[in-house]
Amino acid sequence: MRAEKLNAAQIQDGVATLDAWTLDADHHIIEKTWTFDSFQTAMAFFAQAGAQAERLDHHPEFVSTYTRMRVRLWTHDVNGLTHLDFELAAAFDQLIAAEFSTRLKPSEPPCA
Ligand code: H2B
């Protein structure tokens, strides 16, 4: 069953449940950027985040810039946001908290 496209209110509610993700101007993409302590750590996150994407069969846009990794999420099939975007965003936040909280750039406090 194809995931249903969320409306503006549902999107606002979804963003409120996440940890510091932002909406793009058109409100159909959510994004977050992490800065890691090294490129190697950023690549380790990429690999583990990729596994989460495969688990949900839902795939982000990743932009890697040295120690920074930017993730943007939307659902291609509906050209908007669905519950899958918020599910994967939450999974990434859980991954960061569980595996990378001590490997974020020193100026970035580890996720609570
Ligand atoms: N990822 C994202 N972000 N949006 C989609 O609509 C999507 C996906 N569709 N990953 C999936 C793959 C679909 O193409 C496969 C066939 O299940």
Side-chain angles (χ1 to χ4, degrees), residues 21-74:
W21 286 71
T22 58
L23 277 173
D24 80 336
D26 308 338
H27 286 194
H28 69 272
I29 295 175
I30 54 174
E31 82 170 74
K32 189 167 183 176
T33 299
W34 291 274
T35 304
F36 296 96
D37 57 10
S38 70
F39 175 71
Q40 198 173 356
T41 302
M43 289 298 102
F45 169 74
F46 179 55
Q48 293 191 49
Q52 291 298 311
E54 281 293 281
R55 177 176 65 83
L56 291 179
D57 186 30
H58 198 69
H59 303 84
E61 174 194 84
F62 290 99
V63 176
S64 162
T65 311
Y66 186 36
T67 60
R68 277 201 319 275
M69 183 68 74
R70 186 185 78 182
V71 171
R72 295 201 318 153
L73 277 166
W74 73 96

